[in-house]
Amino acid sequence: MEEVRKKRILSGIQPTGIFTLGNYIGAVRNWGQLQEDYECAYFIADLHSLTVAIEPAKLRKQTLDSFALLLACGIDPNKSLIFIQSTVNTHAQLSWILSNSAMFGDLSRMTQFKDKAARHADNVNAGLFTYPVLMAADILLYQADMVPTGADQKQHLEFTRDLATRFNSRFGQTFKVPEPYIAPAGAKVMSLQEPTKKMSKSDENVNSFISILDDEAVIINKFKRAVTDSEKEVVFREGKDGINNLITIYSVITGKTIPEVEKEFEGKGYGDFKLAVGQTVADELKPIRENFKRISADKAYLEEQYKKGAEIAYSISSRTLAKAKRKVGLI
Ligand code: TYM
């Protein structure tokens, strides 16, 4: 009997800073779970980080730390392909080819571009503008079936689908059109200080996010200070953004449903609830912190893994690149 090919999953994360609890719950935690049932490829999107001004030494260190963090979070190099984007030169090459099918108007509508351009008004560079084209190249090179990300990447995934469809209809079938895979819960973890805003590692207020390397005392303290509301009940309801966010975090990590969480904290105050969420998050992140310490100290192992990843990633992606080059008429 013919063996059915496992569906292919691909996703990436920028090394702009240490991963937050948002990155973990919205993406990396799910990536670890998906590797049991799918053929997975995960990478550190260091080329994407060049779109904001980042010190070279910092980028280098954070790229290696982020690679070590993926391993520490349970992404297993014996099950999944793990690599660093800039070590595989097919990404930048396909990005150029695709940019000629990407429309200025579509790129101008990207909300992440508009947000980042407003935040970095002194550095609205061409890379920031064409960022979604590089992201499309990342995905299409591997003929990915599904792309697991948080909700903030949905617009970029729609753009990728449109671009692949437009290219295929102009030049003939070249790319698989990928499906977004956005988890039903935790796809948008909010800031602990301004719970109407997404939790982000670039936030200036360190109390607004949990870094996955924060230690137990820091985590509990940040949850204690989390902004909530003036009511008393731990219930998930419109208008209770802070509490809704904490309930979601607790529910995703414990695997309990929202009604179960509400029941558990019936009659208890916000203080007890915040402490429980903080403790649960600290317990979940503890082994990751310990793994990270061990793995990031072993430079030879890291180098061996990212070099192996680069070779495999190149051998898969160069086939798609060759096909795309042929289709558009390049020698
Ligand atoms: P990045 O590095 O901003 O984020 C990595 C992943 O974390 C998710 N995420 C969140 N999920 C829930 N709540 C939050 N507060 C939160 N913050 C971040 C993101 O949705 C993402 O899944 N452009 C991408 C990197 C990328 C990529 C790709 C992803 C480059 N090429 C190809 C998929 C496929 C980015 O900047 O993610």
Side-chain angles (χ1 to χ4, degrees), residues 12 14 22-23 26 48 131 135 138 149-150 152-153 187 189 198-199:
Q14 288 197 63
N23 296 133
H48 279 95
Y131 175 118
M135 181 160 161
D138 299 335
T149 67
D152 61 342
Q153 297 300 318
V189 176
K198 162 184 105 157
M199 181 182 284

Side-chain angles (χ1 to χ4, degrees), residues 22-285:
N23 296 133
Y24 179 68
I25 289 184
V28 183
R29 186 171 187 265
N30 303 328
W31 299 355
Q33 292 165 351
L34 291 164
Q35 59 186 347
E36 306 305 329
D37 298 319
Y38 297 91
E39 197 183 297
C40 298
Y42 301 120
F43 67 96
I44 303 302
D46 56 344
L47 292 174
H48 279 95
S49 291
L50 293 176
T51 59
V52 291
I54 181 166
E55 242 177 78
K58 201 167 169 198
L59 176 60
R60 210 169 291 130
K61 177 173 188 315
Q62 283 176 186
T63 300
L64 290 177
D65 281 353
S66 299
F67 188 81
L69 261 178
L70 279 189
L71 300 170
C73 287
I75 310 294
D76 179 349
N78 296 315
K79 292 183 186 159
S80 300
L81 166 60
I82 317 176
F83 63 97
I84 297 172
Q85 186 185 31
S86 66
T87 63
V88 190
N89 59 24
T90 48
H91 292 240
Q93 290 184 55
L94 183 64
S95 178
W96 176 255
I97 294 176
L98 289 177
S99 66
N100 302 290
S101 294
M103 296 300 135
F104 181 87
D106 292 342
L107 287 168
S108 314
R109 278 189 285 279
M110 295 293 127
T111 49
Q112 202 159 80
F113 168 70
K114 289 193 269 187
D115 287 352
K116 285 196 180 171
R119 264 190 290 138
H120 305 278
D122 55 339
N123 186 23
V124 186
N125 60 72
L128 192 65
F129 188 67
T130 57
Y131 175 118
V133 184
L134 178 59
M135 181 160 161
D138 299 335
I139 298 168
L140 301 178
L141 276 171
Y142 297 85
Q143 307 287 354
D145 295 285
M146 284 195 301
V147 186
T149 67
D152 61 342
Q153 297 300 318
K154 190 155 188 279
Q155 197 184 26
H156 291 160
L157 298 179
E158 290 302 330
F159 172 85
T160 301
R161 287 171 56 83
D162 291 347
L163 188 53
T165 307
R166 186 175 311 126
F167 188 100
N168 287 345
S169 69
R170 177 160 174 215
F171 297 107
Q173 182 57 40
T174 311
F175 303 117
K176 171 154 259 166
V177 180
E179 295 292 333
Y181 179 98
I182 293 166
K188 193 167 184 191
V189 176
M190 309 310 270
S191 154
L192 298 182
Q193 291 297 313
E194 282 177 79
T196 49
K197 257 177 49 184
K198 162 184 105 157
M199 181 182 284
S200 164
K201 53 195 159 203
S202 53
D203 202 312
E204 277 167 18
N205 182 350
V206 290
N207 288 321
S208 72
F209 61 87
I210 303 287
S211 150
I212 71 169
L213 295 178
D214 280 345
D215 67 26
E216 181 166 329
V218 172
I219 294 174
I220 291 178
N221 203 18
K222 285 184 182 176
F223 276 104
K224 271 191 195 161
R225 291 162 159 231
V227 169
T228 49
D229 53 58
S230 54
E231 297 175 11
K232 290 197 177 67
E233 282 169 298
V234 179
V235 287
F236 193 101
R237 195 168 55 217
E238 213 186 315
K240 289 174 75 76
D241 299 314
I243 288 294
N244 294 350
N245 189 36
L246 299 186
I247 293 180
T248 304
I249 293 171
Y250 189 75
S251 151
V252 171
I253 293 185
T254 59
K256 293 176 185 165
T257 62
I258 288 175
E260 281 167 353
V261 179
E262 290 172 338
K263 184 122 200 21
E264 186 177 340
F265 292 95
E266 214 174 80
K268 298 197 179 131
Y270 285 177
D272 287 345
F273 176 54
K274 286 178 174 180
L275 201 61
V277 182
Q279 192 61 55
T280 304
V281 170
D283 292 347
E284 169 89 4
L285 299 184

